[in-house]
């Protein structure tokens, strides 16, 4: 099989995936090759507009000659490499990782994860019922840990942070994939309003000194919301509609247009439900935005339906 992509380099790398010969442009990752070959490798932290963070460990595959499993999202394809994506070892690894994530995190709004869990037989409930939500995670100091009771599964559940009218932070759904940190930081926005605080199980995404967003360096570009894979970050309108049970993606339409706030020409995709704009995204393949927007493009649409 030959996989042809845009901007094809002069050199192609040939290797084997599950017994099938694959040729990909030099510099492609194993995940890129598998996706182009029609092989579905589960992944949560991978983003097509960001450098791989290797955080979720769901996409691990077996490479002949490697002592450990390797993350397909960042491992570059090499000539003659022999890759196996569906072995007892990879299936067990995927199962355990999904169980650990599912026991500690609310994955109810994470696309595709329910199917992955069913496919590999993951049972997060085997670790016990979830522990009660905590309201002091932002105050915990590194190195100070409570002894678990052994009866419940430790979770990252905490109250939802609603401190502005644009987007909501529900860190009970956060898997710490670092995508929001990278999008806010040096890979896109260079605002550095958020980072990782704490260590171990107490690690969490936080603003400086855990200040509310309006008191932080956040410029409300919403690019962190764009890349969040679990719904830990969501539009305030989406959050409200999910809370009252009226959010229904099957009734939504998506229309791509051009932002009119300035002359840059950013592409906007308007998501509309019941004749109301409920959120705005941007095509990742756009040569102008690559999925990124400013506060006006991301959130400046309320005047369209001002009643």
């Amino acid at each position: 099989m030959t996989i042809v992509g845009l901007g094809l380099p002069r050199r192609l790398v040939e290797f084997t995936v599950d017994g099938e010969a694959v040729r990909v442009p030099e510099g492609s990752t194993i995940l890129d090759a598998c996706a182009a070959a029609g092989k579905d490798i589960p992944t949560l932290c991978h983003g097509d507009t960001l450098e791989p963070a290797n955080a979720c460990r769901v996409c691990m595959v077996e490479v002949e000659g490697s002592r450990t499993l390797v993350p397909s999202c960042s491992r570059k394809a090499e000539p003659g490499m022999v890759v196996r994506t569906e072995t007892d070892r990879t299936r067990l690894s995927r199962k355990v990782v999904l169980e650990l994530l599912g026991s500690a995190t609310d994955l109810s709004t994470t696309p595709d994860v329910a199917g992955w869990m069913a496919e590999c037989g993951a049972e997060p409930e085997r670790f016990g019922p979830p522990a009660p939500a905590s309201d002091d995670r932002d105050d915990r100091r590194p190195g100070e840990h409570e002894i678990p009771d052994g009866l419940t599964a430790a979770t990252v559940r905490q109250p939802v942070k609603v401190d502005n009218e644009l987007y909501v932070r529900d860190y009970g759904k956060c898997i710490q994939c670092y995508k929001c940190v990278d999008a806010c930081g040096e890979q896109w926005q260079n605002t550095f309003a958020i980072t990782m605080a704490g260590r171990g199980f107490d690690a969490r995404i936080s603003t400086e000194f855990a200040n509310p967003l309006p008191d932080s360096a956040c410029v409300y570009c919403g690019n962190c919301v764009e890349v969040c894979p679990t719904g830990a970050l969501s539009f305030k309108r989406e959050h409200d509609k999910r809370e009252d049970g009226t959010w229904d993606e099957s009734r939504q339409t998506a229309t791509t247009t051009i932002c009119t706030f300035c002359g840059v020409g950013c592409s906007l995709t308007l998501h509309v439900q019941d004749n109301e704009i409920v959120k705005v995204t941007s095509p990742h393949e756009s040569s102008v935005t690559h999925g990124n927007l400013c506060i006006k493009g991301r959130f400046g649409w309320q005047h369209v339906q001002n009643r």
Side-chain angles (χ1 to χ4, degrees):
M1 171 180 290
T2 300
I3 300 172
V4 180
L6 296 177
L8 185 67
R10 290 176 297 174
R11 184 169 181 264
L12 292 178
V13 175
E14 184 170 348
F15 67 110
T16 302
V17 178
D18 294 333
E20 181 180 359
V22 176
R23 299 176 70 206
V24 295
E26 187 177 26
S28 299
T29 65
I30 296 174
L31 186 64
D32 293 334
C34 290
K39 296 182 182 294
D40 182 22
I41 306 294
T43 179
L44 291 172
C45 71
H46 178 261
D48 57 356
T49 63
L50 297 167
E51 293 296 321
N54 302 330
C56 75
R57 318 306 278 186
V58 177
C59 72
M60 307 297 280
V61 297
E62 193 170 327
V63 174
E64 190 172 281
S66 176
R67 180 178 60 84
T68 62
L69 298 177
V70 302
S72 63
C73 66
S74 62
R75 181 65 179 267
K76 295 292 191 296
E78 300 173 7
M81 177 183 283
V82 177
V83 178
R84 300 181 181 89
T85 66
E86 289 293 336
T87 65
D88 291 342
R89 197 179 179 193
T90 59
R91 285 191 289 266
L92 178 60
S93 171
R94 194 172 303 152
K95 174 179 181 291
V96 172
V97 168
L98 288 173
E99 286 180 336
L100 292 172
L101 287 174
S103 69
T105 315
D106 176 8
L107 300 179
S108 61
T109 55
T110 305
D112 303 320
V113 75
W116 296 340
M117 285 193 175
E119 183 178 340
C120 66
E123 299 177 348
E125 60 276 5
R126 71 186 178 92
F127 295 110
S134 171
D135 58 1
D136 67 344
R137 286 188 63 82
D138 287 332
D139 300 324
R140 294 181 183 178
R141 296 184 177 182
E144 297 181 2
H145 303 283
E146 296 181 3
I147 300 176
D149 57 20
L151 301 176
T152 58
T155 73
V156 297
R157 292 197 301 169
Q158 57 183 291
V160 179
K161 298 179 186 297
V162 185
D163 53 16
N164 65 92
E165 290 300 315
L166 300 182
Y167 72 94
V168 171
R169 297 176 290 160
D170 184 357
Y171 287 143
K173 298 178 178 179
C174 177
I175 61 169
Q176 299 174 26
C177 66
Y178 292 82
K179 291 172 72 173
C180 61
V181 176
D182 289 338
C184 183
E186 62 183 9
Q187 292 197 36
W188 284 117
Q189 193 61 30
N190 286 289
T191 298
F192 301 97
I194 55 176
T195 189
M196 186 66 69
R199 292 203 305 259
F201 196 79
D202 290 337
R204 67 270 182 191
I205 303 297
S206 180
T207 58
E208 186 176 8
F209 301 115
N211 285 324
L213 277 178
D215 298 330
S216 73
C218 178
V219 296
Y220 296 99
C221 62
N223 294 329
C224 56
V225 182
E226 178 75 31
V227 299
C228 179
T230 65
L233 304 175
S234 64
F235 283 78
K236 178 67 162 54
R237 190 64 183 130
E238 176 180 348
H239 171 77
D240 291 344
K241 292 182 77 64
R242 286 188 184 275
E243 285 294 294
D244 61 26
T246 59
W247 180 262
D248 187 355
E249 293 186 2
S250 67
R251 289 160 43 204
Q252 294 176 13
T253 60
T255 303
T256 299
T257 183
I258 303 296
C259 181
T260 59
F261 276 107
C262 74
V264 173
C266 297
S267 298
L268 308 179
T269 300
L270 308 179
H271 299 257
V272 178
Q273 179 179 326
D274 301 329
N275 205 32
E276 175 191 8
I277 300 173
V278 291
K279 70 175 182 179
V280 172
T281 59
S282 183
H284 288 196
E285 65 273 14
S286 169
S287 60
V288 178
T289 64
H290 299 288
N292 298 287
L293 295 169
C294 72
I295 182 174
K296 293 180 180 180
R298 185 82 64 188
F299 298 108
W301 40 266
Q302 287 87 347
H303 66 282
V304 175
Q305 53 209 22
N306 185 11
R307 297 181 178 88

